[in-house]
Amino acid sequence: MVKEYKQHYLPLSRAQLVDRLQAALSAKRFAHVLRVEETAVKLAKRYGVDPEAASVAGLCHDYAKERSDADFIRVIKAKRLNPILLDYGNAIWHGQVGAELVKDELGVQNEDILNAIRVHTTGDAYLTPLAQVVYMADYIEPGRDFPGVETARRLTKQDLGLGVAYQTQATLAYLVKKGKPVYPQTLVTYNAWVPKYRKELK
Ligand code: DGI
Ligand code: FE
Ligand code: FE
């Protein structure tokens, strides 16, 4: 576990950051965020990523999840983010737009951390090792229970990129099955990661 931060990724101690998250989130989501942090730190140590960056990104990844649609729409317009975001909703906004709230309200400046938060739901063609760690920690944290989660945990331990490919394939299949709108970046992630790992995913 990361107890106190030695690096200044944000102007808060870990304890202060945890308090801010507790105030911003339901008890259930707050507990999820703590489990994602723990899982992200473990994966970070395994894969040579800075555990403090993994801690900050894991804690902050769902910071904005309970914000109103009006808050997100205001940020999309004020910061002139990609207007196609307006065709989506909270599922996409809490990461892509939520990263802006993490920067402005929590004071996180590190671009790798902000980007890992931005892409934690959709992925991207290129994902830094930290972004891969957060994407996978969110999916396999010990509170997750869905068909395939054990496979996801095993593959992620074996090869981080293979875990990314597994989650990306499963998420796209789920969205298609449910007839949900696919954010273009989610398709970009699929094309970049899934064919490359096709043989190991069988
Ligand atoms: O915020 P969490 O629930 O912890 O996890 P998350 O940020 O990975 O969100 C997962 C949800 O987001 C899951 O229900 C699938 C959905 N999602 C992922 N990609 C897309 C998407 N929803 C839509 N509509 N379009 C996408 O491209
Ligand atoms: Fe999320
Ligand atoms: Fe999450």
Side-chain angles (χ1 to χ4, degrees):
M1 276 312 291
V2 171
K3 286 240 164 56
E4 202 35 86
Y5 297 143
K6 296 195 183 69
Q7 294 165 91
H8 295 279
Y9 289 130
L10 75 174
L12 301 172
S13 67
R14 182 181 172 283
Q16 287 171 326
L17 177 58
V18 166
D19 284 350
R20 291 288 296 270
L21 289 159
Q22 190 159 25
L25 300 172
S26 68
K28 206 175 149 189
R29 186 155 287 112
F30 175 63
H32 161 69
V33 153
L34 292 177
R35 291 190 302 265
V36 172
E37 181 206 22
E38 196 187 324
T39 307
V41 169
K42 276 191 199 158
L43 288 174
K45 288 177 178 165
R46 185 177 191 91
Y47 288 111
V49 169
D50 176 13
E52 285 192 29
S55 166
V56 175
L59 286 172
C60 296
H61 83 284
D62 278 342
Y63 168 69
K65 184 99 175 190
E66 293 172 16
R67 299 293 281 260
S68 69
D69 289 359
D71 272 8
F72 289 118
I73 291 165
R74 174 180 54 76
V75 176
I76 292 165
K77 292 185 173 165
K79 299 208 176 196
R80 299 173 186 267
L81 304 183
N82 189 341
I84 75 145
L85 281 165
L86 295 169
D87 297 337
Y88 293 81
N90 182 281
I92 300 301
W93 293 342
H94 80 279
Q96 293 280 341
V97 186
E100 301 298 323
L101 295 169
V102 169
K103 174 157 85 178
D104 296 346
E105 298 178 6
L106 301 177
V108 174
Q109 298 289 348
N110 182 277
E111 264 309 316
D112 194 15
I113 295 175
L114 291 174
N115 193 58
I117 296 166
R118 202 170 281 130
V119 302
H120 86 264
T121 306
T122 60
D124 207 346
Y126 176 74
L127 293 168
T128 67
L130 176 66
Q132 293 179 50
V133 159
V134 174
Y135 184 73
M136 291 321 302
D138 192 20
Y139 197 63
I140 65 170
E141 58 94 344
R144 295 290 195 197
D145 184 18
F146 55 83
V149 72
E150 282 306 337
T151 305
R153 288 181 180 126
R154 176 172 55 76
L155 297 180
T156 303
K157 222 170 167 180
Q158 190 185 315
D159 175 339
L160 187 56
L162 180 54
V164 170
Y166 182 84
Q167 175 179 177
T168 299
Q169 185 176 45
T171 298
L172 184 60
Y174 162 84
L175 294 171
V176 169
K177 185 164 167 240
K178 295 272 178 183
K180 293 202 178 194
V182 179
Y183 190 62
Q185 198 176 317
T186 302
L187 276 178
V188 166
T189 307
Y190 175 87
N191 282 325
W193 291 86
V194 178
K196 189 167 116 185
Y197 286 96
R198 187 175 64 247
K199 292 199 181 74
E200 291 103 308
L201 287 167
K202 271 196 268 173

